[in-house]
C-alpha cells in the first residue's frame, strides 16, 4: 500500500498567517491526491481533489499543488474557522490511504 | 439534500461479528460508488472498503481483508459492512461516504469522497 507522510503533525499559527502543509507519498501517485479538513466532532470536508482542483464552495485562500510524490496544501491567510486537522488522501490506486493528519492550532 | 446514515455499531467481544448499515438518500444512489472509512478514538482516518455501483467490484484495506465484506442493495439504497473476527484494533467510528461522481474521465469520480455520514461507533472489548 502507498504510504502518505504529512508534515508537520501539528503547527501553531496566528490569524492572517500563511500556512503550508506537505504530504509525501511512498511512490508516485500522479495527481491522484485530495485534501480534507476535519473539525473536532465533525466529518471530513473535501477541500481539494486532483492535487490542485478546488472544490465548489471552498474559499480561494486554500490551494493545492504538486504531483508524483510531493504535494502541498497552502492556506494563504489563516482564518479563525480554519483551525482544524487536515488530511491528504491518495486515490491513484487501491487500497486508498490517508496521511496521518496535520493539526492546525491557534498560536 | 444528501444524507448518509450509519447504524449497527455497538460494543462487541473480540472474535465476534457485527454488521453495519448505511442508508442513503438525496442523490442517485445506484450510480454512486460508496466507501467505508474508520477513525479510531483520537486518531486519523483509515480507509476500509469500497463497493462499485453494481456491487460487483469491491476492494479492502489490508487490515480488514478476509474479515470484512462490503455489499449494497440498490433497491433499498443501502450499503452494508459485515465485520467478522473483530479485534480490539477495529475499535473506531465507522463512516460511510459517497464518491464525488461527476466527470468520470478521472478516477477521482470513484475515489474522492464528497459526502460523509455522521458515523457509528464500534467498540471491540472483552
Amino acid at each position: 500500500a502507498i504510504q502518505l507522510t504529512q508534515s508537520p503533525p501539528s503547527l501553531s499559527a496566528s490569524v492572517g498567517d500563511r500556512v503550508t502543509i506537505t504530504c509525501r507519498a511512498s511512490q508516485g501517485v500522479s495527481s491522484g491526491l485530495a485534501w480534507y479538513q476535519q473539525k473536532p466532532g465533525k466529518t471530513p470536508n473535501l477541500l481539494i481533489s486532483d492535487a490542485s482542483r478546488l472544490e465548489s464552495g471552498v474559499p480561494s485562500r486554500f490551494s493545492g499543488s504538486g504531483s508524483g510524490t510531493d504535494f502541498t496544501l497552502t492556506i494563504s491567510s489563516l482564518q479563525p474557522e480554519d483551525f482544524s486537522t487536515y488530511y491528504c488522501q491518495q486515490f491513484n490506486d487501491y487500497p486508498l490511504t490517508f496521511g496521518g493528519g496535520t493539526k492546525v492550532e491557534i498560536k | 439534500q444528501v444524507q448518509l446514515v450509519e447504524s449497527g455499531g455497538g460494543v462487541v467481544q473480540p472474535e465476534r461479528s457485527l454488521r453495519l448499515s448505511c442508508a442513503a438518500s438525496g442523490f442517485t444512489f445506484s450510480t454512486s460508488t460508496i466507501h467505508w472509512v474508520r477513525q479510531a478514538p483520537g486518531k486519523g482516518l483509515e480507509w476500509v472498503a469500497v463497493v462499485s455501483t453494481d456491487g460487483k467490484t469491491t476492494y479492502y484495506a489490508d487490515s480488514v481483508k478476509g474479515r470484512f465484506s462490503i455489499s449494497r442493495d440498490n433497491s433499498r439504497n443501502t450499503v452494508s459492512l459485515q465485520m467478522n473476527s473483530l479485534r480490539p484494533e477495529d475499535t473506531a467510528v465507522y463512516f460511510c461516504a459517497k464518491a464525488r461522481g461527476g466527470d468520470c474521465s478521472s478516477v477521482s469520480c470513484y475515489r474522492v469522497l464528497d459526502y460523509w455520514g455522521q458515523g457509528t461507533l464500534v467498540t471491540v472489548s472483552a
Side-chain angles (χ1 to χ4, degrees), chain A residues 1 34 36 38 41-44 46 49-50 53 55 87 89 91-100, chain B residues 35 37 39 43-47 50 59-61 95 100 106-108 110-114 116-118:
Chain A
Y36 299 83
Q38 187 180 31
K42 301 294 185 181
T43 60
L46 176 64
S49 66
D50 298 300
R53 171 181 165 173
E55 291 299 301
Y87 294 94
Q89 175 224 335
F91 56 88
N92 187 64
D93 198 8
Y94 285 114
L96 306 184
T97 46
F98 288 89
Chain B
H35 298 250
V37 177
Q39 187 167 34
K43 302 297 185 182
L45 301 170
E46 180 186 15
W47 178 81
V50 61
Y59 293 96
Y60 299 91
F95 300 101
R100 61 183 306 186
S106 164
V107 293
S108 66
Y110 310 106
R111 304 177 185 178
V112 170
L113 311 177
D114 62 350
W116 301 58
Q118 290 302 306

Side-chain angles (χ1 to χ4, degrees), chain A residues 77-95:
Chain A
S77 178
L78 198 66
Q79 297 302 299
E81 59 269 30
D82 300 337
F83 292 95
S84 305
T85 300
Y86 295 86
Y87 294 94
C88 56
Q89 175 224 335
Q90 70 80 20
F91 56 88
N92 187 64
D93 198 8
Y94 285 114

